[in-house]
Amino acid sequence: MRRIGIVCASDTELAPFLERMDVARTTERAMLRFYEGTAGPLPVTAVYGGVCKVNAAVAAELLIGTFGVDAVVDAGTAGGLDPGVGRFDTVVAERSFYHDVSEDILTEFHPWMPSVYFPSDGGLLAAARAYAAEAGRPLRFGTIATGEAFIEDGDRERIYRARAPLAVDMETAAVAHVCYVERVPFLSVRTVTDTAGGSGAEAFERNCVRASKIAAEVTMGILRGWAGV
């Protein structure tokens, strides 16, 4: 069975995955701790890589190059941007982009992308849509924006006006970027902690634990369908 890599930004976001895992081995690389084992019948290697794009990319590259995972899921929390996205809704990224990188950086130079968007894997998205039909909780499919700062009210409107993403975080596009150049299937599953109507670091801190548990539940449901178990 294919091994799945799960990368989270924080220990809070990783915790509900570890609760589901039978961990056989832990390995330290690049000051990160990787947990190898199974979650039910699924072979999983999980890590929290830290906040921001570079940290996320390091963790994703190690999952692929060192631990040989066959797919990577970036899971955890995000801030809602679309007015229709509510607190504790889960956003499944159909695609992702950097809101703080000039467009021609990725289209005119390596990896010479056809657009600014990193697409998510079609098979993982199909499994997510099948899961959504029976999940019993809100799943939203669309675009996630990624950048290096926690987004407060003023920047939310600016980012939303540019490309109408459903949510914003600091890691998704970076993990997608690594998977794109490595040609490894990728998906991002992010549950919303704060929105335009209730934003800021305080809302994130208050809702992070619950949102992380929801993201893990949704992620595992999707992966069971993807793996056919």
Side-chain angles (χ1 to χ4, degrees), residues 156-181:
R156 285 177 189 268
E157 185 177 352
R158 174 184 58 81
I159 295 168
Y160 183 71
R161 282 201 313 266
R163 295 189 180 274
L166 296 182
V168 62
D169 66 17
M170 289 190 272
E171 298 84 25
T172 286
V175 180
H177 191 155
V178 172
C179 291
Y180 182 88
V181 298

Side-chain angles (χ1 to χ4, degrees), residues 26-111:
T26 61
T27 305
E28 293 194 5
R29 294 284 190 278
M31 301 175 69
L32 298 174
R33 180 169 293 177
F34 294 80
Y35 299 85
E36 298 175 81
T38 55
L42 300 175
V44 171
T45 301
V47 60
Y48 83 84
V51 175
C52 90
K53 295 184 291 190
V54 174
N55 282 332
V58 169
E61 186 60 52
L62 286 169
L63 281 171
I64 295 166
T66 300
F67 295 92
V69 301
D70 301 296
V72 177
V73 178
D74 168 66
T77 64
L81 291 183
D82 187 287
V85 173
R87 193 177 297 113
F88 303 119
D89 286 359
T90 298
V91 175
V92 178
E94 297 174 319
R95 59 185 187 173
S96 55
F97 73 98
Y98 298 121
H99 66 74
D100 58 356
V101 174
S102 297
E103 293 186 7
D104 62 350
I105 295 296
L106 297 175
T107 58
E108 300 300 320
F109 304 94
H110 182 272

Side-chain angles (χ1 to χ4, degrees), residues 17 19 49 76 90 97 104 107 114 121 125 127 135 146 151 172-173 192 201 215 225:
F17 288 102
E19 291 171 2
T90 298
F97 73 98
D104 62 350
T107 58
D121 177 71
L125 279 172
T146 293
I151 302 303
T172 286
V192 170

